[in-house]
Amino acid sequence: MKAITRHVYGTPDLTDHELPAPGPGDVLLRVHAAALDHGVWHLGAGLPYPVRLATGLRRPRSPFLGRDVAGTVEALGPGVTGLDVGDEVFGTCDGALAEHAVARPGHLVRKPAGLSFEAAAAIPTSGFTALQTLRDHARLRPGQRVLVIGAGGGVGTFAVQLAKAYGAHVTGVCGPGKDELVRSLGADDVVDHTREDPTAGPRRYDVVLDTAGNRPLPDLRRVLTPRGTLAIVGGENASGRWLYGTGRQLRATALSPFVRHTLRAPISAADPADLRHLAGLAATGELTPVVGRTFPLADFPDAMTYLRSGHVTGKIIMIMPGTA
């Protein structure tokens, strides 16, 4: 099979590997689509350095990359129940950027019939991040005002829709050309950050979800209500191999106990119940995954360059050979 791999930290590449076999309690997937995000870049490059505590200090323990997957069950390991060969599923696994991948059944759900493999692969990680941030960290309630910075990106497009589903008034911040998309997702107001600084005006928000850019903490806190919540889940900054853009998150977490605002740097978890919830919303049309661009697996370097450009709309999806 073809797979995106790296045996040393650096630039991953397309290589040939033997077909994996499902072990007890596992399923083998024929992968149709896999999502690309900044986590893939960080794991491939081994940056920032603390990433290597989980993946291997000198070299990666596993060569494979990719997490969000959509495909067809091709084989069942011993003891697997609840899924059958031929089922169309999506969820998370290790090594999703490959023609085949081994997954745990508990991390998969059946793909809704009206949802494409590409759209399904876009859901898990960004959907988890948006849902868990708004529900668990911000404790969002109907009638509250939410500012989503980076509303046209992977997490942002889910956050706008989920905040509206919770009954919030949503202001989306995005770049030029994304305003109509963000409005179509339900945003009540849209701000073009190239024409207006969303943190400079008189409006105040109960929740600020920052998924893009590197605005200073004081600027973000300025637009919060007295007991508002700031959640920072994005902001890539290529300076510093130890922090690599996580400095704001660390400062926010350290400051939070000493101020009235709640400051969070959420890390999402692959939760089976949340995956079923997101799948249900997608099945009814209440949640629409936004696929900005697709690339064939062989064009992984081009897809990564586009990802790192900082101007991505929605999710980037990699298409496996022979599945288009």
Side-chain angles (χ1 to χ4, degrees), residues 130-141 144 146 206-209 227-231 262 264 266:
L131 175 64
Q132 293 166 14
T133 298
L134 294 172
R135 181 193 63 199
D136 303 334
H137 294 276
R139 302 182 184 276
L140 186 60
R141 301 186 304 275
Q144 290 190 314
V146 177
D206 301 287
V207 177
V208 174
L209 174 53
R227 296 288 181 178
T229 296
L230 166 64
T262 300
R264 294 287 185 264

Side-chain angles (χ1 to χ4, degrees), residues 308-320:
R308 300 296 292 170
S309 74
H311 301 292
V312 175
T313 297
K315 296 289 291 186
I316 301 171
I317 304 297
M318 306 304 298
I319 308 299
M320 302 306 131

Side-chain angles (χ1 to χ4, degrees), residues 78-103:
V80 173
T81 60
L83 289 175
D84 297 306
V85 172
D87 283 349
E88 296 181 346
V89 297
F90 76 98
T92 59
C93 69
D94 292 328
L97 290 167
E99 292 181 291
H100 289 82
V102 171

Side-chain angles (χ1 to χ4, degrees), residues 192-267:
D192 180 345
H193 69 81
T194 66
R195 304 179 65 180
E196 179 183 349
D197 182 353
T199 66
R203 287 181 287 186
R204 297 294 179 263
Y205 302 91
D206 301 287
V207 177
V208 174
L209 174 53
D210 185 6
T211 77
N214 285 283
R215 290 176 177 81
L217 280 180
D219 292 355
L220 295 170
R221 290 183 58 205
R222 184 184 304 125
V223 295
L224 285 174
T225 56
R227 296 288 181 178
T229 296
L230 166 64
I232 303 175
V233 299
E236 290 289 312
N237 185 344
S239 63
R241 291 176 173 266
W242 286 98
L243 296 181
Y244 212 94
T246 61
R248 289 188 313 153
Q249 286 91 324
L250 294 174
R251 290 193 297 273
T253 301
L255 180 62
S256 188
F258 304 102
V259 297
R260 290 187 298 171
H261 294 146
T262 300
L263 311 179
R264 294 287 185 264
I267 298 175

